[in-house]
Amino acid sequence: MRDEKKAVFPLSLIPKIRRALRGELNIPATALETLRRGHVSLRRRRERARLSRLDKVNVRLRLEYARLSPSELLEHFRSRSTPSFLPGFNASNIETTVRLQRATFPAETEGLLARAERMVTQHRWQLMGYGERDFGEKIEWLRDPLSGVDWEPVYHGDVEIARRDGSDVRVLWELNRLTHFLTLGRAYALTNDERFALEFFAQLESWQEQNPTALGANWMCAMEVALRAINLLAAFELFRRSPHLSEERLKGLLALFDHHGEHIRRNLEFSYIWTSNHYLSDVVGLLWLGVMLPELRAARSWREFGLREMLREMDKQILADGADCEASTGYHRFVLELFLYSFMLCRANGIEIEDRYWRRLRAMLDYMRAYLRPCGRAPLIGDSDGGQVLPLVNHSSDDHAYVLTLGASALKDSRFKVPAGSVPEELLWFSGERAVREYESLAPSVEAISSQAFEDAGTYVMRDRDLYLLFNASDSGLGGRGSHGHNDALGLEVSACGSLFIVDPGTYAYRADYHGRHLFRSTAYHSTVEVDGAEQNTIDEEWLFFIGNEARPRALRWETGPERDLVLAEHYGYQRLREPVLHRRAVEFDKRERCWIIEDALIGDGEHVFSFRFHIADRIEVSIRADALVQACDRMSGARLLISALGSTGEPSLEPRSVSRDYGARSASVSVCWTVHRKAPLVARWAIVPVCPDEDETARLELISRLKDRASVEA
């Protein structure tokens, strides 16, 4: 009995439970979670005991398919017309899809075939923001593609990912999501060149050989298993009519799918305290396996469980205003893809989803539409690792517009039709020719995107034509337990005159660079106020996905009208200082004068060091004039942004910074910083004034002078 208790409550769980028990707590849920973690430990002991047998388990087919001979089973899969994959993939539509791909996307088709050719002849393809990588004559699926570090094929529960050796399991997982099989599959559909099919089968067989079920880093995260399964289902749909799909290969593929489903089901990333995009990916993977492989004995239970849990997670994870709960635009895109593509799959197979969930999906698209800048690109608030679901095309982390296009088609809603945007390739493959024609016939929305507040998300967008400011008053996410939030409370993003000027820096990397991970989520890397060098929320460089919620931002006021917007918010992250300080920020958008006025109130006692920062985008030239006026200039367009202190805050300085648009990529930028040693309370004001190429700079400088005079009178 004592041994059993040790198994249920191992001491190693205590620090994990303590980290989980942060944010909003529910005592019954906490008790259930403690028990659940103990049971997980027991289940893993049983799984470990069966480890040598797991990979040898034959595919478990339903009785009517188990009775078929190998040749009959192969013929069944080659010729079946149901279930239906996403319409453009289906056998009945593939010739039309191929014809339209070549006719509508000639340059993209040429690039696709060239990439597929390099995959076959050089084993070379794109990997996140690291560019094209050469994976060698024999692909090492357990070798970190960047550091060269090997991951041992040990029991997945024993894999230690916090290695501090330059490796990054996120990069390894990206390789092993096998997304490049989608390129090989589309190239095969376009050409009927069997070299692409042979390469697919050869690579998959080498993957299976190096990754026995439940062994190694590629099985340690059920989310990764689920996403890999979805990509393999898409590839299987494209290659199942190849003459090189033999009886033996089919048997191996079906067993692999069965093992993926069973592994996900055994290792669900569920928690009574919180669930995130990980658990959502788990259940979506089960849904797709269950829908697309009804021949498997477990398919029905996977499908029913996956659908039920996916909708429950939509209720839990999507806030009332349509935003994903993780305080990240990058993960909003990813989660929206999971829901949107799954809803499309269900519709294609006659699986009904209640209208209220379609309405919630619409709200998610509304949120995305609102936060996109006038240029159509997204601000990278919080973490963004570039993850995509079924990435037929690799989109940069700040490219979210293609999801709006797919949403406009699925919902037949012209509000999501991207202005002057081309039809993305995904629409053809995911929705088919008819959907492309229907999308093209949608009348462009005449409704201008206006300033909007998303109070649950803590996102406030001020916009008027080419002017855009995003004000961030979100907490750390996940009900205060955030893992993907940054220290960006009361931070800003600004674009004007078609140019991006003030930005969130993005993410850069996770485990490959612990210090870099810390910098990109730090207060000092965001356009807000830092006090005494402290972080707004607790972060620990050793815990890459831990962030506190001390700031707890709160909006106090929001007004919007034809001539003026105003947002007022505060946060409490500096209340834990020896001499506490409260930061309250107001942003006023004067639409007639085309400028923003910012007021920072630091309320408290004692002398402090206050750092007021504006993080400037890369490729923007920044200079400080003799009158301490900051000029940010986009040399490509000629647009400029003037930033001026409206009081006695001293001379600004330029601090070196970085910006990361894609995971693993970074480019140099600067932050404009005013550092003030003063006693609290303190009020500081700033003017942000854009100057478009056709505007008179003298008039804009006169505006700043008037604003300074007004601020002096008010002071």
Side-chain angles (χ1 to χ4, degrees):
M1 182 63 69
R2 287 194 298 271
D3 290 342
E4 189 71 359
K5 285 182 179 179
K6 288 180 182 177
V8 175
F9 300 107
L11 293 177
S12 62
L13 288 181
I14 293 175
K16 295 180 180 179
I17 293 172
R18 284 177 177 167
R19 290 198 303 277
L21 301 185
R22 63 188 196 272
E24 302 164 8
L25 291 181
N26 176 294
I27 292 175
T30 301
L32 287 170
E33 178 62 16
T34 304
L35 288 171
R36 185 197 70 82
R37 290 180 181 234
H39 291 311
V40 166
S41 180
L42 282 175
R43 282 201 303 272
R44 288 202 166 178
R45 285 181 62 187
R46 297 191 201 100
E47 185 182 50
R48 189 194 302 271
R50 299 174 52 218
L51 200 55
S52 62
R53 304 192 302 274
L54 286 176
D55 204 51
K56 297 179 175 62
V57 175
N58 290 326
V59 59
R60 300 162 309 146
L61 294 169
R62 285 168 48 193
L63 186 58
E64 60 267 40
Y65 297 103
R67 288 173 173 167
L68 297 178
S69 67
S71 61
E72 289 172 330
L73 188 65
L74 177 60
E75 180 55 32
H76 162 76
F77 275 99
R78 278 186 173 156
S79 61
R80 71 176 191 173
S81 57
T82 58
S84 175
F85 200 71
L86 298 172
F89 282 75
N90 291 340
S92 58
N93 299 329
I94 195 67
E95 289 185 7
T96 301
T97 300
V98 165
R99 175 175 53 80
L100 287 176
Q101 170 75 35
R102 288 188 175 279
T104 311
F105 308 103
E108 292 85 348
T109 302
E110 184 178 341
L112 166 70
L113 295 176
R115 291 193 300 275
E117 185 68 24
R118 289 195 294 277
M119 290 175 187
V120 172
T121 60
Q122 302 174 38
H123 282 175
R124 186 175 181 83
W125 57 86
Q126 178 80 23
L127 186 70
M128 308 178 88
Y130 298 102
E132 283 201 353
R133 312 293 295 189
D134 187 340
F135 296 98
E137 183 177 351
K138 179 184 178 182
I139 302 171
E140 301 289 347
W141 300 104
L142 285 167
R143 174 168 293 174
D144 185 296
L146 301 178
S147 66
V149 172
D150 289 320
W151 294 76
E152 296 299 319
V154 298
Y155 174 62
H156 72 91
D158 294 338
V159 174
E160 178 55 61
I161 59 177
R163 297 165 55 137
R164 285 279 197 171
D165 56 6
S167 63
D168 187 344
V169 75
R170 176 63 186 88
V171 179
L172 182 79
W173 285 343
E174 186 68 23
L175 169 64
N176 286 273
R177 287 182 183 182
L178 305 180
T179 59
H180 66 289
F181 285 175
L182 303 177
T183 299
L184 286 174
R186 292 172 71 209
Y188 178 67
L190 284 159
T191 63
N192 289 319
D193 187 336
E194 290 297 328
R195 290 183 309 131
F196 298 126
L198 284 170
E199 184 65 27
F200 163 70
F201 290 121
Q203 286 196 27
L204 184 58
E205 286 158 11
S206 79
W207 189 93
Q208 290 177 272
E209 181 183 350
Q210 295 177 41
N211 291 274
T213 302
L215 290 179
N218 294 322
W219 291 97
M220 69 166 294
C221 176
M223 171 186 180
E224 296 303 319
V225 180
L227 294 174
R228 181 166 59 245
I230 292 173
N231 291 322
L232 284 173
L233 285 169
F236 181 49
E237 186 67 20
L238 294 170
F239 286 114
R240 66 186 171 94
R241 287 170 294 279
S242 167
H244 289 96
L245 176 61
S246 63
E247 297 168 5
E248 193 63 28
R249 280 175 171 155
L250 175 63
K251 178 183 175 182
L253 254 172
L254 294 178
L256 184 63
F257 283 127
D258 201 14
H259 294 169
H260 272 60
E262 281 300 293
H263 186 85
I264 297 166
R265 198 68 179 87
R266 285 194 306 270
N267 294 280
L268 290 168
E269 296 165 280
F270 175 78
S271 168
Y272 286 102
I273 296 175
W274 53 265
T275 49
S276 69
N277 67 86
H278 276 246
Y279 181 64
L280 176 61
S281 298
D282 299 348
V283 298
V284 164
L286 288 173
L287 171 65
W288 282 64
L289 284 165
V291 170
M292 290 309 302
L293 292 169
E295 297 85 358
L296 297 182
R297 196 184 307 163
R300 181 174 178 177
S301 66
W302 292 345
R303 182 179 68 247
E304 292 176 352
F305 175 81
L307 178 61
R308 181 176 69 249
E309 289 299 297
M310 177 184 72
L311 298 178
R312 284 181 178 173
E313 290 306 302
M314 189 175 226
D315 286 332
K316 289 165 60 178
Q317 296 191 32
I318 306 307
L319 304 175
D321 54 19
D324 176 59
C325 68
E326 296 194 66
S328 158
T329 52
Y331 281 91
H332 182 85
R333 181 184 79 171
F334 177 72
V335 167
L336 178 50
E337 284 188 330
L338 284 169
F339 285 124
L340 176 58
Y341 301 170
S342 297
F343 281 31
M344 293 165 67
L345 181 75
C346 288
R347 176 187 278 172
N349 287 279
I351 300 171
E352 291 190 9
I353 293 176
E354 290 180 52
D355 286 345
R356 69 186 183 97
Y357 292 111
W358 285 98
R359 289 194 296 271
R360 183 152 287 196
L361 184 73
R362 189 186 302 273
M364 294 184 74
L365 290 160
D366 274 322
Y367 179 61
M368 177 178 281
R369 176 177 181 261
Y371 70 60
L372 291 188
R373 307 184 193 108
C375 66
R377 293 283 170 165
L380 297 178
I381 306 300
D383 279 348
S384 180
D385 68 0
Q388 293 177 245
V389 183
L390 271 180
L392 295 192
V393 177
N394 289 319
H395 292 276
S396 63
S397 293
D398 64 353
D399 183 2
H400 296 195
Y402 69 95
V403 184
L404 282 185
T405 298
L406 295 169
S409 172
L411 297 173
K412 296 181 172 53
D413 190 334
S414 63
R415 291 183 310 115
F416 304 128
K417 188 170 184 178
V418 179
S422 60
V423 174
E425 293 173 73
E426 290 96 335
L427 183 58
L428 172 61
W429 289 82
F430 289 177
S431 303
E433 178 188 21
R434 180 178 175 181
V436 172
R437 303 303 177 215
E438 289 176 347
Y439 175 81
E440 290 174 336
S441 68
L442 281 176
S445 176
V446 296
E447 173 191 344
I449 305 177
S450 59
S451 299
Q452 287 180 264
F454 296 87
E455 295 180 6
D456 298 291
T459 302
Y460 297 82
V461 182
M462 299 174 165
R463 62 194 313 157
D464 183 46
R465 293 168 291 174
D466 62 329
L467 300 185
Y468 167 102
L469 181 145
L470 184 145
F471 180 80
N472 188 357
S474 63
D475 66 11
S476 59
L478 285 176
R481 299 175 192 87
S483 56
H484 292 300
H486 288 185
N487 279 340
D488 50 13
L490 313 192
L492 307 172
E493 277 244 356
V494 174
S495 69
C497 312
S499 297
L500 177 59
F501 288 106
I502 299 176
V503 298
D504 189 288
T507 297
Y508 175 49
Y510 291 155
R511 299 187 185 279
D513 184 347
Y514 277 55
H515 183 62
R517 162 66 167 159
H518 168 76
L519 283 180
F520 274 79
R521 62 180 180 152
S522 68
T523 305
Y525 254 56
H526 293 85
S527 299
T528 185
V529 181
E530 182 186 51
V531 180
D532 296 339
E535 294 290 353
Q536 295 173 334
N537 297 300
T538 305
I539 55 178
D540 185 333
E541 192 168 303
E542 293 302 313
W543 298 105
L544 299 185
F545 298 97
F546 170 89
I547 187 168
N549 197 39
E550 293 88 353
R552 305 187 316 281
R554 182 169 69 103
L556 306 174
R557 187 175 173 190
W558 164 254
E559 299 174 6
T560 183
E563 296 184 348
R564 173 180 175 272
D565 293 340
L566 175 69
V567 63
L568 174 66
E570 64 187 22
H571 81 78
Y572 313 101
Y574 302 128
Q575 292 287 291
R576 68 187 192 279
L577 297 179
R578 185 173 59 85
E579 294 182 291
V581 173
L582 180 146
H583 178 202
R584 183 175 293 158
R585 171 170 275 188
V587 179
E588 179 184 359
F589 179 23
D590 188 329
K591 298 176 184 178
R592 291 176 304 171
E593 296 285 7
R594 290 175 56 83
C595 68
W596 291 275
I597 298 94
I598 299 169
E599 179 179 284
D600 286 311
L602 287 309
I603 303 164
D605 296 303
E607 188 163 329
H608 299 274
V609 178
F610 301 103
S611 299
F612 303 86
R613 291 188 176 90
F614 299 95
H615 193 134
I616 307 301
D618 57 334
R619 298 193 288 268
I620 297 294
E621 294 184 9
V622 183
S623 59
I624 301 174
R625 296 165 40 144
D627 55 0
L629 181 71
V630 175
Q631 176 176 268
C633 181
D634 183 346
R635 292 296 182 190
M636 294 292 291
S637 69
R640 283 166 292 160
L641 193 75
L642 306 178
I643 306 174
S644 176
L646 300 180
S648 56
T649 51
E651 296 285 329
S653 62
L654 300 181
E655 301 175 335
R657 290 289 185 269
S658 296
V659 168
S660 175
R661 283 195 175 86
D662 286 298
Y663 191 91
R666 66 191 298 177
S667 53
S669 65
V670 298
S671 183
V672 182
C673 180
W674 280 264
T675 301
V676 179
H677 298 251
R678 295 270 180 89
K679 284 187 176 181
L682 169 70
V683 175
R685 296 182 178 89
W686 323 90
I688 298 178
V689 179
V691 185
C692 293
D694 57 351
E695 285 189 282
D696 179 8
E697 184 183 87
T698 302
R700 306 305 280 164
L701 292 173
E702 289 175 353
L703 170 63
I704 292 174
S705 180
R706 294 198 305 273
L707 292 172
K708 285 183 175 181
D709 291 342
R710 189 178 79 183
S712 177
V713 171
E714 290 174 352

